[in-house]
Amino acid sequence: MLKTAAQEQLLPGDTLQAKWEFAQQAGYDAIELRAKGDFHFASRIDELQQARKDGVVMPTVCVDMLHFFGAFDADLRRDAIAQMKSQLTVIAEIGGLGAQTPASYGMFSRRLPPFEPPRSEEEDREILLAGLSELGEHARREGVALFLEPLNRYEDHMVNRLEQAADLIRATGLDSIRIGIDSYHMNIEESDPAAAIIAHADLIGHAQVSDSNRFQPGAGHLDWPAWLGALHTIGYDGHLAAECRLTGDPVEAVRSIPAFLQRSGA
């Protein structure tokens, strides 16, 4: 049986408890949290601990920041790492499993002018390995995982495919860093998404879902039986966390996701 989660901003309700009530009725097994910058996630600790006491299942958090550990600017990198360390600590404090982040978002794309980034590939790798190692060590100490998410070529110029994420993770030598896959980005970047999942089975730690057009699963043309079948083949037992936009009536759209995934993965 597939386990599904919905990111908190997709769910109706003014509190996590209200969102959880809707989520359960819709067939979800968990809520994925979102963590903004400026240590906003840490400021929610009382809210999150109360939600946990009230039975809300919150295994993972996905970052929602303006800059990341792969930024060009050293001050922005330091801030992003501090933010991520805080988020890893908070998700550990509420009994969660880990936090998902890309290397960057919207910083540069080789597909758009001026096409050549201001940092070489060797410098990119050095920066990414330094940031991943620091964050991975912090995650290890906290007993949680850092999920590195490859993004499509228009959103990040450094880590686009699972093989690139896997290479970086193996270079750190840390078991606390895993790949956080996303069906939308994989649909753009992987020539065979299902094969990519199977090839990197040992490193996949988390999965986010949206369709080929970034709307809810079922609203695009992604080959869900193949994608979900690959996860079944590798024995993935984590959640499928909906990170998507919604088309049509938003309440009905978010309500439709668990049943669609169950049908597609049967």
Side-chain angles (χ1 to χ4, degrees):
M1 195 73 169
L2 296 173
K3 294 190 297 185
T4 56
Q7 289 195 345
E8 58 180 308
Q9 76 279 4
L10 299 177
L11 298 166
D14 295 328
T15 64
L16 283 170
Q17 290 84 344
K19 292 174 182 292
W20 179 232
E21 183 176 356
F22 173 91
Q24 289 177 290
Q25 292 172 353
Y28 289 99
D29 303 285
I31 294 177
E32 178 160 273
L33 300 167
R34 293 278 286 199
K36 299 177 182 178
D38 298 324
F39 297 97
H40 179 262
F41 194 54
S43 74
R44 298 178 62 189
I45 189 62
D46 291 342
E47 170 203 359
L48 297 173
Q49 287 178 335
Q50 184 59 55
R52 184 188 182 193
K53 289 178 183 177
D54 292 336
V56 182
V57 180
M58 303 167 288
T60 54
V61 59
C62 181
V63 297
D64 184 12
M65 303 194 303
L66 296 178
H67 51 268
F68 300 85
F69 71 90
F72 291 133
D73 181 84
D75 289 338
L76 294 181
R77 289 199 300 274
R78 280 191 290 269
D79 179 72
I81 289 173
Q83 300 284 342
M84 283 303 306
K85 284 182 175 179
S86 174
Q87 291 168 22
L88 287 163
T89 295
V90 171
I91 200 68
E93 287 179 357
I94 63 170
L97 301 176
Q100 178 140 329
T101 182
S104 75
Y105 171 77
M107 186 173 86
F108 196 89
S109 171
R110 294 180 185 276
R111 308 300 297 180
L112 300 169
F115 300 113
E116 284 299 322
R119 198 166 62 196
S120 70
E121 289 186 24
E122 292 75 16
E123 291 169 324
D124 280 346
R125 183 177 177 82
E126 181 180 348
I127 291 294
L128 294 181
L129 286 176
L132 281 174
S133 296
E134 186 172 351
L135 291 172
E137 287 287 1
H138 185 82
R140 181 185 58 78
R141 289 192 295 270
E142 293 288 2
V144 293
L146 177 75
F147 304 119
L148 175 61
E149 179 182 5
L151 301 188
N152 72 75
R153 69 195 72 178
Y154 303 103
E155 298 179 21
D156 176 33
H157 72 287
M158 296 179 290
V159 185
N160 307 127
R161 299 183 307 280
L162 270 57
E163 64 183 86
Q164 294 171 309
D167 174 61
L168 289 165
I169 292 169
R170 291 193 175 99
T172 69
L174 291 167
D175 292 337
S176 55
I177 311 175
R178 317 299 287 171
I179 304 174
I181 65 173
D182 184 303
S183 57
Y184 168 74
H185 297 296
M186 292 184 69
N187 179 66
I188 296 172
E189 293 298 334
E190 304 290 349
S191 58
D192 186 337
I197 288 172
I198 292 170
H200 300 96
D202 60 319
L203 287 177
I204 292 174
H206 186 50
Q208 293 179 333
V209 293
S210 63
D211 219 312
S212 56
N213 50 12
R214 209 33 158 167
F215 288 124
Q216 69 269 17
H221 61 249
L222 200 148
D223 186 348
W224 288 104
W227 198 83
L228 295 170
L231 286 177
H232 177 74
T233 296
I234 69 170
Y236 176 74
D237 60 359
H239 290 85
L240 303 175
E243 182 190 41
C244 58
R245 300 183 180 92
L246 301 172
T247 183
D249 178 82
V251 172
E252 291 308 310
V254 74
R255 195 193 303 274
S256 73
I257 296 172
F260 173 83
L261 293 173
Q262 295 294 348
R263 290 195 307 272
S264 300

